[in-house]
Amino acid sequence: QVQLVESGGGSVQAGRSLRLSCAASGSSNVMAWFRQAPGKEREGVAAIYTVGGSTWVDDSLKGRFTISQDNAKNTVYLQMNSLKPEDTAMYYCAADLRREAELVGRHFVAQLYKAWGQGTQVTVSS
């Protein structure tokens, strides 16, 4: 099973940027970022299909968040710009072997992902 290690979290002021990294050991067809704030459910942030490279970003985050990959490093990135206090959460990387045709748009359904990282905390202060 693929192992995932996230990095890049931290504490920043509103309006600043952060880039999260998720290094994978092993193969996957889809990788995604989820986040979970205290007292809230885990929610999908962005997903990328490693073959073909199609990307998806939650509608509410489009324009601020971008997902990308470096195939040579087997790493996926989440670029977060213009951060807001409401972006404060634990951010998790997830991966699965399902292909885009199998997920049929369900790339933000957390229960479908087999592999998870330990999470990296992002805290945005006003």
Side-chain angles (χ1 to χ4, degrees):
Q1 181 164 310
V2 62
Q3 304 288 326
L4 304 172
V5 178
E6 303 103 329
S7 61
S11 296
V12 297
Q13 289 189 321
R16 304 298 291 269
S17 298
L18 279 175
R19 189 179 77 159
L20 305 183
S21 300
C22 174
S25 61
S27 299
S28 62
N29 288 317
V30 59
M31 294 183 71
W33 288 97
F34 289 80
R35 69 183 183 182
Q36 188 166 19
K40 294 189 177 182
E41 291 188 0
R42 191 168 296 192
E43 62 178 359
V45 173
I48 186 166
Y49 289 90
T50 57
V51 177
S54 60
T55 62
W56 301 84
V57 178
D58 182 78
D59 286 344
S60 67
L61 301 173
K62 285 180 181 176
R64 296 197 299 123
F65 286 22
T66 305
I67 188 169
S68 62
Q69 63 179 344
D70 183 332
N71 287 334
K73 296 182 179 179
N74 211 13
T75 298
V76 168
Y77 303 98
L78 181 68
Q79 179 67 42
M80 306 184 294
N81 298 329
S82 302
L83 282 162
K84 304 176 180 179
E86 51 263 43
D87 294 318
T88 294
M90 185 72 80
Y91 284 71
Y92 296 92
C93 180
D96 198 80
L97 286 172
R98 289 181 176 89
R99 299 181 184 276
E100 191 167 8
E102 295 176 80
L103 285 177
V104 197
R106 297 176 295 163
H107 33 258
F108 290 156
V109 178
Q111 292 86 342
L112 295 179
Y113 287 82
K114 292 282 193 304
W116 289 85
Q118 79 287 354
T120 186
Q121 178 68 36
V122 172
T123 302
V124 184
S125 58
S126 57

